[in-house]
Amino acid sequence: MCICVNCRHINECKTYIFIEKQHKNINLKDKNIIFIPKNTLIQINIHKKINYTVIDWDLIECLSFVEKPGSWLN
């Protein structure tokens, strides 16, 4: 699971915006990228199905993480 959901920087983080673009999230036009995190580690999970492949992107480590539960709700 992506640690971004409980990070204070989620709404302006360059790495989070990148991950959301990989998930094909189309509601990114109003995002203001002003924060560049330090030392991030992204995990990519590939799930193969019979007719298709699902790729899941998760940020699992970030030295800039500052916990603020529910930050993604805003």
Side-chain angles (χ1 to χ4, degrees):
M1 181 170 145
C2 188
I3 64 170
C4 297
V5 296
N6 287 322
C7 183
R8 178 177 66 124
H9 304 293
I10 190 171
N11 291 314
E12 62 267 348
C13 179
K14 183 176 182 169
T15 302
Y16 179 72
I17 300 301
F18 169 79
I19 290 171
E20 285 296 290
K21 285 181 181 178
Q22 302 314 307
H23 286 149
K24 306 220 184 325
N25 186 336
I26 58 172
N27 297 320
L28 297 172
K29 294 176 186 152
D30 59 346
K31 296 286 185 178
N32 188 18
I33 301 173
I34 58 173
F35 182 76
I36 300 173
K38 297 190 186 310
N39 296 340
T40 58
L41 181 61
I42 297 173
Q43 177 177 326
I44 304 168
N45 296 302
I46 301 171
H47 306 282
K48 288 190 158 205
K49 305 292 182 179
I50 294 172
N51 296 325
Y52 61 95
T53 301
V54 175
I55 300 174
D56 185 33
W57 298 70
D58 290 320
L59 183 73
I60 59 170
E61 189 174 314
C62 176
L63 290 185
S64 299
F65 177 81
V66 177
E67 188 171 16
K68 183 179 176 190
S71 293
W72 59 277
L73 294 171
N74 295 331

